[in-house]
């Protein structure tokens, strides 16, 4: 055994070394050092070195390789080969971190654990033929001692006057027997174990042995579960886990039966079911629909997860398991603003990682979805490559998201500012589809005004006035404003009442004192800085900045003031009605089930108005007023300089200690989107919580209970906003994306081309067949755990990235010849190339060394989008997963999946390899998968399916064919038989290959 400041090390005869916690002795880690047995080990700093025996020739032999482990990374490093048979080893720290290795025959070798052992460092101990049985190093590190089998001790020292520790601990001996002096037992102690009382061995019955007739078995009631445990419990499957609150001693329950009964009765309403506990309002503060939603993965992945339980609308939710998916709610906000949705779908540029383009692709998927969730994987992939996002701290590690240590409210407000600025810059000049193929490349950095600037932009005049009288004015543009709260009265700690419009005006027309450089005084001087706006934006974006207890207390006090004012107003209106119309008032009071007052729950925690009026006077002074939602402008007011804004978005941070918190959005969906999606014309507020979407009341969207719901972002849109913008969407993707393009790989040559691009006369038409297959690599491994019943539960699925996409012609003279075979370059770290299943090897995706046709994901994505928009039908095997990882939404009528063509209900899915062998007599996927071969085989299988079904064959006949397929599969254990020799493939496949080669030759010529 050894001990360090981190672990307690234990060696086993099985050849293992276990690392245990110093306090609880719980097993933390284990190294399997040797296959035979362990003879010795030692620890110094971050290094663990072991020596032992290995199993060789049905026996144990001394292993001359010392296993070295790095305790920082918890893994083995290069082993150390020595020239003696090691039996003992010790570190001698005075000689750096040198090791002393001792053999049983008396040989001693010194070497460094990370270097090479030299035969010159071997010394011999003169034991006169005896074997060395023990070895140790003094605590002063100045002497070595050896004990041999003859009973002699050999002492080696570095000098004649070696120093030893004169204050060593005394040897501890076992305590003597103390049966005659038993300790005093306190009968008043409730935790006193009665087994401490010595009882003599007797054969007679004791007085306490009552007859069975006078006894009844009454089990002691279990104590109630601590409320803190219920509050912090996290369920995985049907098992709950919670940290120990340490309010009681472990494994000890006091015998206070009467008090326990009373305590039990007071909590007997707490359900023992975890589902029941979640529904208890006094145990769980956050309503269920606001809590963080997670996907329960099964062995089928997402296929059997019921998303309709969380979303009964036709709107598309977003999946939350992708890294940095905290911004899902803001993506929905931008999508449901009609001018932004239409503008980014019309945008297309050559920039590889353009957030505007990726948002356009994502919004197109959300348009096509009919209630099914989408994922923003490609958008977030581009987002992670933006240097500004990383510099602002917007890119989170997986550990930060899981632990919930990040302030999501502050983070989403920074993300809101970043995305508006980024979209404004990226779409500044973009007009029409011609920009993608422009000679000058990306359109970034133009001086033109974007739709984002027209929507959110506001000219701001910043004026700095020095006390010497010099005034400096500069004009800038602002896309959003941040609320600035008034300073509290520190003397009496009271907060006076403010209207939201008053605080908003102070935040827009900000005035503050600060130190600034004055050119007139030629030094830093106290200056007064004021900000005024020259025009009003069409969409007013507000970051609430409720990031501390001070702002939360201010918001809470204003909501209480607002509640008192509304209740007083209703009381006055009721009294006025009673005085003016006593008969009508009496009838209202006597009407059963009719209440004159608004529910107090609908008035609580509300401060922000549903509408505001903003006006710029002739002197360019701003006036802001709280407004009612149904009231319009007065006829005398100037419509050009007076805007009415309606609240359309509120984003809130949900504080939930059990899950780490999450972000939700309340969005007021307008008539335009309802008409397109559901065929109805009305306005409705919805709650968007990742893939959970629910309609909510208007009051719920503006209510903020600061104990669990923190306001983050507000969007006020000008009334009749959509009528001021062109909402037509023109598909910017042209057929030119399918034409030949250069490869990113430096070593790629024409002789290595595996495909022939489409000619102008081969451009796809609606309902044309295209064979498709894709290969993937793994970026992050899946996170799973074993339940108590032995089943595996997936917590987080593996993150896949597309690495190769192949499309082959489905008709014409070149049927089966690929026209797309793109390898996708990736800048992210690949943890597993899955070569056995994908055929992708390390280096294939690296532009410096790859010999493949390497392209960007965006380039290949545009090709597939064009094919989908044209209306071609894709034929493949398992296309659902392919399109999911590529992040494409495709109508079901455009997908022909052979995995479902040859499938019987409630039976297993059959692999492409087995189907090809059974129906086509082809042997594919021998060593690895090839996407060209798989796509061609899927096309041939579809032709075979048409052949089996087109001659008016009865459904029962085809079912018999499938039954024969399944019976053959069960007999063969679903494995294709391996021939003894190499069997050539069918003539049909040989013909396809020769045709491909011939077409390739013609293309080269």
């Amino acid at each position: 055994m050894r001990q360090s400041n981190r672990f307690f090390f234990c060696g086993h005869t099985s050849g293992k070394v276990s690392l245990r916690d110093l306090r609880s002795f719980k097993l933390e880690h284990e190294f399997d050092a040797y296959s035979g047995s362990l003879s010795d080990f030692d620890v110094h700093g971050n290094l663990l070195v072991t020596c032992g025996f290995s199993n060789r020739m049905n026996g144990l032999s001394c292993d001359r390789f010392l296993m070295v482990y790095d305790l920082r990374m918890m893994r083995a490093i290069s082993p150390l080969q020595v020239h003696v048979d090691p039996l003992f080893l010790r570190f001698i720290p005075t000689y750096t971190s040198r090791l002393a290795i001792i053999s049983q025959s008396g040989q001693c070798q010194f070497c460094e654990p990370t270097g090479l052992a030299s035969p010159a460092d071997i010394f011999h101990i003169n034991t006169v033929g005896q074997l060395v049985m023990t070895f140790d190093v003094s605590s002063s590190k100045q002497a070595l001692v050896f004990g041999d089998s003859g009973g002699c001790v050999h002492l080696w020292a570095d000098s004649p006057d070696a120093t030893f520790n004169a204050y060593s601990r005394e040897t501890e001996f076992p305590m003597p027997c103390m049966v005659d002096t038993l300790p005093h037992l306190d009968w008043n102690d409730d935790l006193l174990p009665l087994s401490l009382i010595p009882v003599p061995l007797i054969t007679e019955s004791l007085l306490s042995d009552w007859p069975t007739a006078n006894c009844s078995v009454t089990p002691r009631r279990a104590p109630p579960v601590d409320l803190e445990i219920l509050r912090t419990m996290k369920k995985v499957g049907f098992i709950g886990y919670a940290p120990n609150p340490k309010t009681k001693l472990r494994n000890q329950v006091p015998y206070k039966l009467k008090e326990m009964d009373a305590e039990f009765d007071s909590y007997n309403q707490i359900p023992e079911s975890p589902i029941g506990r979640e529904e208890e309002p006094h145990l769980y503060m956050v309503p269920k629909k606001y809590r963080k939603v997670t996907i329960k993965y099964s062995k089928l992945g997402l296929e059997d997860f019921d998303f309709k339980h969380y979303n009964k609308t036709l709107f598309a939710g977003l999946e939350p398991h992708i890294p940095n998916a905290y911004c899902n709610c803001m993506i929905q906000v931008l999508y449901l603003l009609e001018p932004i949705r239409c503008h980014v779908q019309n945008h297309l540029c050559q920039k590889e990682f353009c957030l505007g383009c990726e948002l356009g692709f994502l919004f197109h998927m959300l348009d096509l979805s009919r209630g099914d969730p989408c994922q923003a994987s490609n958008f977030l992939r581009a987002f992670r490559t933006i240097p500004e996002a990383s510099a602002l701290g917007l890119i989170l590690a997986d550990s930060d998201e899981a632990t919930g240590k990040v302030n999501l409210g502050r983070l989403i407000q920074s993300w809101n500012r970043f995305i508006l600025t980024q979209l404004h810059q990226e779409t500044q000049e973009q007009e029409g589809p011609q920009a993608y193929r422009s000679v000058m490349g990306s359109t970034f950095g133009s001086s033109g005004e974007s739709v984002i600037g027209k929507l959110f932009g506001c000219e701001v005049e910043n004026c700095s006035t020095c006390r010497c009288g010099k005034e400096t004015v500069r004009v800038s543009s602002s896309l959003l404003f941040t609320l600035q709260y008034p300073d509290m009265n520190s003397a009496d700690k009271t907060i006076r009442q403010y209207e939201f419009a008053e605080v908003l005006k102070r935040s827009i027309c900000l005035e503050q004192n600060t130190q600034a450089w004055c050119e007139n005084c030629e030094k830093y001087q106290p200056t007064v800085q004021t900000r005024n706006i020259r025009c009003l934006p069409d969409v007013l974006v507000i970051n609430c900045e409720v990031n501390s207890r001070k702002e939360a207390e201010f918001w809470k006090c204003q909501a209480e003031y607002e509640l008192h004012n509304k209740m007083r107003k209703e009381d006055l209106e009721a009294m006025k009605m009673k005085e003016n119309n006593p008969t009508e008032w009496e009838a209202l009071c006597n009407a059963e089930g009719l209440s004159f007052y608004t529910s107090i729950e609908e008035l609580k925690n509300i401060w922000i108005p549903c509408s505001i009026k903003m006006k710029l006077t002739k002197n360019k002074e701003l006036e802001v007023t709280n407004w009612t939602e149904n009231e319009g402008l007065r006829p005398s007011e100037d419509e050009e300089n007076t805007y009415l804004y309606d609240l359309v978005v509120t984003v809130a941070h949900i504080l939930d200690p059990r899950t780490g918190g999450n972000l939700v959005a309340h969005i007021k969906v307008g008539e335009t989107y309802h008409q397109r999606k559901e065929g109805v014309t009305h306005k409705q507020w919805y709650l968007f919580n990742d893939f959970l979407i629910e309609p909510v009341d208007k009051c719920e969207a503006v209510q903020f209970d600061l104990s669990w719901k923190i306001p983050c972002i507000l969007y006020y849109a000008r009334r009749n906003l959509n009528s001021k913008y062109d909402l037509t969407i023109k598909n910017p993707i042209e057929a030119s994306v399918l034409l030949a393009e250069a490869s990113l790989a430096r070593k790629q040559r024409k002789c290595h081309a595996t495909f022939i691009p489409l000619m102008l006369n081969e451009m796809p038409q609606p309902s044309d067949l295209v064979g498709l297959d894709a290969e993937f690599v793994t970026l992050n491994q899946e996170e799973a755990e074993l339940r108590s019943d032995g089943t595996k539960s997936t917590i987080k699925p593996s993150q896949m990235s597309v690495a190769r996409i192949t499309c082959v012609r489905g008709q014409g003279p070149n049927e089966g010849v690929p026209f797309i075979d793109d390898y996708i370059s990736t800048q992210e770290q690949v943890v597993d190339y899955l070569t056995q299943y994908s055929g992708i090897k390390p280096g294939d995706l690296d532009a410096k060394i790859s010999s493949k046709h390497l392209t960007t994901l965006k380039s290949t994505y545009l090709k597939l989008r064009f094919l989908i928009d044209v209306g071609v039908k894709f034929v493949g095997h398992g296309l659902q997963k392919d399109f999911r990882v590529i992040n494409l939404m495709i109508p079901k009528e455009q997908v022909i999946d052979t995995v479902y063509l040859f499938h019987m209900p409630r039976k297993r899915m059959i692999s492409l390899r087995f189907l090809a062998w059974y129906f086509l007599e082809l042997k594919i996927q021998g060593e690895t998968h090839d996407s060209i071969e798989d796509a061609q085989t899927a096309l041939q299988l579809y032709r075979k399916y048409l052949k089996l079904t087109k001659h008016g064959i009865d459904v029962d006949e085809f079912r018999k064919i499938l039954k024969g397929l399944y019976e053959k599969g069960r007999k063969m254990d679903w494995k294709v038989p391996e021939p003894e020799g190499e069997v050539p493939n069918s003539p049909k496949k040989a013909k396809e290959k020769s045709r491909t080669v011939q077409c390739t030759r013609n293309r080269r010529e």
Side-chain angles (χ1 to χ4, degrees), residues 816-974:
V817 178
F819 63 93
I820 296 175
D821 188 26
D822 292 347
Y823 285 75
I824 310 301
S825 173
T826 179
Q827 297 182 357
E828 298 182 288
Q829 184 179 5
V830 178
V831 299
D832 192 353
Y833 284 90
L834 304 172
T835 305
Q836 180 182 356
Y837 307 103
S838 67
I840 307 295
K841 299 177 182 178
D844 286 351
L845 308 182
D846 190 345
K848 297 179 181 178
I849 61 176
S850 177
S851 61
K852 311 296 183 183
H853 182 77
L854 207 62
T855 65
T856 63
L857 176 61
K858 182 177 180 179
S859 172
T860 308
Y861 190 96
L862 289 172
K863 298 175 187 177
L864 295 178
R865 259 291 304 275
F866 177 78
L867 294 174
I868 295 172
D869 295 342
V870 166
V872 303
K873 292 185 177 180
F874 291 95
V875 181
H877 194 81
L879 290 180
Q880 183 177 359
K881 180 184 177 183
D882 293 356
F883 285 122
R884 175 178 171 80
V885 179
I886 299 171
N887 204 14
L888 272 170
M889 180 71 69
I890 179 169
K892 293 181 180 179
E893 59 270 14
Q894 289 182 239
V895 178
I896 302 173
D897 201 333
T898 54
V899 77
Y900 296 110
L901 294 181
F902 301 96
H903 174 251
M904 294 184 70
R906 296 183 295 277
K907 301 286 186 180
R908 62 166 287 167
M909 302 292 184
I910 305 177
S911 67
L912 180 65
R913 188 183 186 204
F914 193 85
L915 289 174
W917 172 79
Y918 186 83
F919 286 109
L920 306 177
E921 298 181 356
L922 293 179
K923 179 189 171 187
I924 64 172
Q925 301 173 356
E927 296 180 0
T928 60
H929 290 221
D930 181 26
S931 57
I932 295 179
E933 183 182 52
D934 292 351
Q936 292 170 342
T937 306
L939 272 174
Q940 295 180 50
L941 276 173
Y942 178 57
R943 300 291 185 194
K944 183 69 174 179
Y945 171 79
L946 294 178
K947 186 178 179 181
L948 292 174
T949 56
K950 73 177 181 179
H951 295 298
I953 189 173
D954 190 14
V955 178
D956 294 333
E957 291 294 327
F958 185 67
R959 188 176 293 124
K960 288 180 181 179
I961 296 175
L962 292 184
K963 285 184 178 180
L965 168 67
Y966 276 89
E967 288 176 3
K968 187 69 173 178
R970 281 191 291 270
K971 291 179 182 179
M972 304 290 295
D973 197 18
W974 302 103

Side-chain angles (χ1 to χ4, degrees), residues 765-780:
Q765 302 299 322
S767 299
D768 280 357
L769 296 181
V770 172
L772 175 71
D773 191 65
E775 308 294 350
F776 309 101
V777 293
T778 302
L779 301 181
N780 287 323

Side-chain angles (χ1 to χ4, degrees), residues 725-739:
Y725 289 87
D726 183 11
L727 300 182
T728 57
I729 298 177
K730 301 175 183 179
N731 192 348
I733 305 175
E734 297 180 337
S736 58
V737 298
L738 291 178
L739 300 179

